[in-house]
Amino acid sequence: MKPSQKSQSTFPGLAFVVALVLSVLASVCIAAQPAPERKPNAEPTEKKPALFQEKGLFSIASPAEGFSWQKIRSVTQKDATGKEVSAYVYSCTKSGGTDNLVLTVELRDSKIDPIRVAALKGGFNGMYKSLEQGGFKFLSTKRPDIKTPVPDEVPFSIHAQSPDGKEIFLQSVVVFGKEGKNIYTLSAFTSNRETSRKLFDAAKKSFRETPDKTEKR
């Protein structure tokens, strides 16, 4: 089912993420058939996961051995009211691997339902439309639930096929921050359903919001 043409987010925070990840998806699809002897990227590790922290915002652990988080971009755009809104984009990858996790943090109000609904529609629709424009065929989708009152965490997922027939799996969750501040979107992009589930579940389990009222960003 195609997204509604009327759905618009007041801040297209995921638009940049989509463009970023589409470039990654090509390599994910190319490497969709790993060598039988190779261990999957999401193989559990006995070592303590490395913790990535952004003061005043969040902390999150590496989801599997060899993966590491890094901040890749800061963006500032205007919302529907003309107010400037900042956002940060973080990526988690493994050297030599193609599985990718992306975390976006939008520094804006997340308290009221209209804002939450707009963010959910904009996130899913932006991802869907960008994949569609890239020639991907949709095999299944789970749209975000926009019934009000909107809960603090809302998941969505997309299973698609590239123009050359390779599958990709996207799992996302939108987290509306404590005290009605900030919107966090965590996404996993892989070529394997089970790998996507393991990486996403591990990252989501470790995610902690760490608001700092005294810090201005």
Side-chain angles (χ1 to χ4, degrees):
M1 181 172 64
K2 291 187 177 183
S4 167
Q5 297 298 316
K6 295 181 180 180
S7 299
Q8 296 290 333
S9 172
T10 54
F11 176 69
L14 281 183
F16 168 73
V17 178
V18 172
L20 167 73
V21 174
L22 280 177
S23 64
V24 177
L25 290 179
S27 60
V28 170
C29 293
I30 291 173
Q33 300 296 330
E37 297 80 13
R38 183 181 177 183
K39 294 183 179 181
N41 285 347
E43 190 71 23
T45 175
E46 295 182 358
K47 296 180 181 179
K48 185 176 180 180
L51 189 66
F52 180 87
Q53 300 183 68
E54 189 74 296
K55 186 178 179 182
L57 291 176
F58 69 89
S59 65
I60 191 168
S62 299
E65 185 175 5
F67 281 80
S68 60
W69 285 96
Q70 63 176 332
K71 185 175 182 178
I72 58 174
R73 184 151 180 191
S74 300
V75 294
T76 301
Q77 298 184 33
K78 291 184 178 180
D79 64 14
T81 68
K83 179 182 178 181
E84 287 193 345
V85 179
S86 296
Y88 306 111
V89 184
Y90 307 83
S91 177
C92 183
T93 57
K94 181 177 182 178
S95 178
T98 56
D99 299 325
N100 189 36
L101 289 93
V102 175
L103 174 67
T104 64
V105 183
E106 299 174 39
L107 306 187
R108 62 184 178 116
D109 180 75
S110 62
K111 186 179 300 182
I112 62 175
D113 281 334
I115 289 178
R116 293 187 174 199
V117 170
L120 293 171
K121 286 183 176 181
F124 178 85
N125 290 355
M127 195 71 67
Y128 188 106
K129 290 176 182 177
S130 292
L131 289 171
E132 187 175 47
Q133 290 170 3
F136 285 79
K137 175 184 177 181
F138 296 94
L139 304 178
S140 66
T141 60
K142 179 182 178 182
R143 298 175 62 86
D145 188 349
I146 58 173
K147 293 179 181 178
T148 57
V150 179
D152 291 338
E153 294 186 9
V154 182
F156 66 84
S157 62
I158 295 175
H159 175 200
Q161 190 176 61
S162 69
D164 60 354
K166 304 296 175 57
E167 295 180 70
I168 64 100
F169 297 85
L170 157 69
Q171 283 189 264
S172 292
V173 63
V174 179
V175 179
F176 298 103
K178 297 176 182 178
E179 302 177 357
K181 297 179 180 179
N182 304 337
I183 299 176
Y184 304 84
T185 302
L186 174 65
S187 303
F189 302 84
T190 74
S191 59
N192 178 276
R193 187 189 301 274
E194 184 64 14
T195 298
S196 179
R197 183 189 65 78
K198 288 182 178 180
L199 291 175
F200 179 79
D201 287 352
K204 183 176 181 297
K205 183 178 179 180
S206 71
F207 175 81
R208 297 290 184 275
E209 187 183 2
T210 55
D212 185 349
K213 296 181 180 179
T214 64
E215 183 178 3
K216 295 183 179 180
R217 301 188 62 84

